[in-house]
Amino acid sequence: MLSELQQLISSAVKENEPLAGHTTYRIGGSADYFFAATTSDEAIKALHVAKELGLSYFILGGGSNVLVSDEGFHGLLIKMANRGIEFAGTKIKIEAGTPTALVALKSVEAGLTGFEWAVGLPGTIGGAIRGNAGMFGGDTGQVIETVRCIRNGEPEQLTHEQCAFGYRDSLFKHQSGCVILSAVLALETASDLAASQQQLQAILAHKKDQQPIEYPTAGCIFKNWLPSEPEDLISIRQSLDLDSGEEIPVTPNGTVPAGWIIDRAQLKGTKVGGAMISEKHANFFINSSGASASDVIGLIAVVKTRVRNITRSVIHLQEEIEYLGF
């Protein structure tokens, strides 16, 4: 199979490639076959070949927000390594494999505003679009004008509306075989460039102070919790033993931060094997000492069970990370 893939796709296709080195978690087994696509055309070719051969495939970006099984992935893993940023007025065309933080930095250098918050995001712009990644009140979908993708085997350009962005969600999570190749971001001209630069520095300083960047992590493990009824907030006040004057933090979109919930459940520092809940930010599980995927799975189970039990089943945390090879 390796020689056939190398002949049909590229001589750069590898066999039994360890995936731990391609993820921010530094966890996971090997992919049967691995190809880093440096252009959209290479990615398209690899996708077509995988389909023609009936070979399972997975698209990987920067390797954040994913947990790879200890058994690895049986099939062809295609890493989007196509990078490129082109400016046209207030629009930016970006190749899917471009690091999101780099896009934020370059947008400010170009005198644009609206994407500063993304300097704190790990991973690539393709992954950020797929999961509608966000922080500090912003999310990727807000600035997307169009997305070029492979859909039903053919290149297609989708509008913002067609991408169906939701909280940590988009069309691309639900349509198998719909793969992001590039995108156009629509920003605004910065009226105060110094303020934008200061915002970048403040976000990076906040990330260093509040997130365990000194350890391998996948980013936030769980989605923020969205109460289904107004009474849910009253209920968790009692179950989390809050003081009468203590406010529950609610984001602008009505969710309660998962990190705050896990912290109030007194789970910071909890360990399973080499995986540990960060003392800095409870929604970050760190690879503290040679953690396996099984360790992380075990720690996720501990948190979900503890939170569900102490809130009397009011809160059911849902993972934000994606599982590969399970």
Side-chain angles (χ1 to χ4, degrees), residues 1-15 33-39 41-50 52-53 55 76-79 81:
M1 178 65 78
L2 176 62
S3 59
E4 186 174 12
L5 291 173
Q6 289 177 332
Q7 181 179 1
L8 294 174
I9 301 174
S10 165
S11 60
V13 176
K14 299 178 181 179
E15 187 175 28
Y33 306 102
F34 176 93
F35 176 61
T38 58
T39 67
D41 287 343
E42 286 186 347
I44 293 170
K45 181 190 288 188
L47 284 167
H48 283 164
V49 169
E52 288 171 4
L53 298 179
L55 191 62
L76 173 64
L77 190 140
I78 303 169
K79 181 172 182 176

Side-chain angles (χ1 to χ4, degrees), residues 26-307:
R26 300 294 182 259
I27 290 174
S30 299
D32 289 347
Y33 306 102
F34 176 93
F35 176 61
T38 58
T39 67
S40 291
D41 287 343
E42 286 186 347
I44 293 170
K45 181 190 288 188
L47 284 167
H48 283 164
V49 169
K51 290 181 179 179
E52 288 171 4
L53 298 179
L55 191 62
S56 297
Y57 67 87
F58 183 84
I59 305 297
L60 184 71
S64 62
N65 203 45
V66 63
L67 179 64
V68 179
S69 164
D70 297 320
E71 304 303 317
F73 175 67
H74 299 299
L76 173 64
L77 190 140
I78 303 169
K79 181 172 182 176
M80 299 300 286
N82 55 329
R83 296 188 176 191
I85 304 176
E86 297 179 13
F87 292 92
T90 57
K91 307 291 178 66
I92 315 176
K93 180 183 177 182
I94 309 166
E95 295 296 310
T98 307
T100 307
L102 179 63
V103 177
L105 288 169
K106 292 296 184 182
S107 68
V108 171
E109 287 181 6
L112 302 177
T113 187
F115 204 57
E116 293 92 336
W117 59 268
V119 74
L121 285 179
T124 60
I125 197 70
I129 293 169
R130 184 178 184 276
N132 195 16
M135 60 190 303
F136 298 117
D139 61 57
T140 308
Q142 293 172 344
V143 297
I144 296 299
E145 182 172 271
T146 59
V147 173
R148 183 170 176 262
C149 64
I150 291 292
R151 193 181 189 195
N152 299 320
E154 298 296 330
E156 186 174 344
Q157 182 164 286
L158 303 183
T159 65
H160 172 93
E161 290 73 19
Q162 288 175 309
C163 291
F165 290 111
Y167 175 64
R168 303 296 178 263
D169 198 18
S170 74
L171 164 82
F172 307 102
K173 276 193 169 184
H174 304 284
Q175 286 201 358
S176 177
C178 194
V179 178
I180 298 166
L181 300 173
S182 63
V184 173
L185 273 60
L187 304 181
E188 297 178 359
T189 301
S191 59
D192 188 341
L193 184 56
S196 291
Q197 293 171 335
Q198 290 173 1
Q199 186 178 355
L200 289 178
Q201 296 305 315
I203 291 170
L204 290 172
H206 181 273
K207 180 176 180 178
K208 182 178 181 181
D209 181 60
Q210 299 295 323
Q211 297 179 12
I213 61 175
E214 65 272 26
Y215 291 99
T217 77
C220 288
I221 293 290
F222 296 104
K223 297 177 182 179
N224 290 344
W225 171 64
L226 180 64
S228 57
E229 302 289 343
E231 293 77 14
D232 288 347
L233 292 177
I234 299 174
S235 175
I236 68 167
R237 289 196 66 85
Q238 299 170 346
S239 57
L240 296 178
D241 194 26
L242 303 187
D243 295 334
S244 59
E246 185 176 356
E247 293 186 1
I248 297 174
V250 179
T251 67
N253 62 9
T255 62
V256 178
W260 178 85
I261 295 169
I262 299 167
D263 186 7
R264 294 303 310 206
Q266 301 180 10
L267 287 168
K268 275 186 175 179
T270 301
K271 294 185 69 174
V272 172
M276 184 177 83
I277 300 175
S278 169
E279 295 281 6
K280 276 189 176 181
H281 193 310
N283 203 14
F284 281 71
F285 293 7
I286 64 174
N287 179 355
S288 64
S289 55
S292 66
S294 296
D295 292 340
V296 178
I297 293 293
L299 193 53
I300 288 172
V302 168
V303 172
K304 293 177 74 171
T305 301
R306 167 74 173 163
V307 169

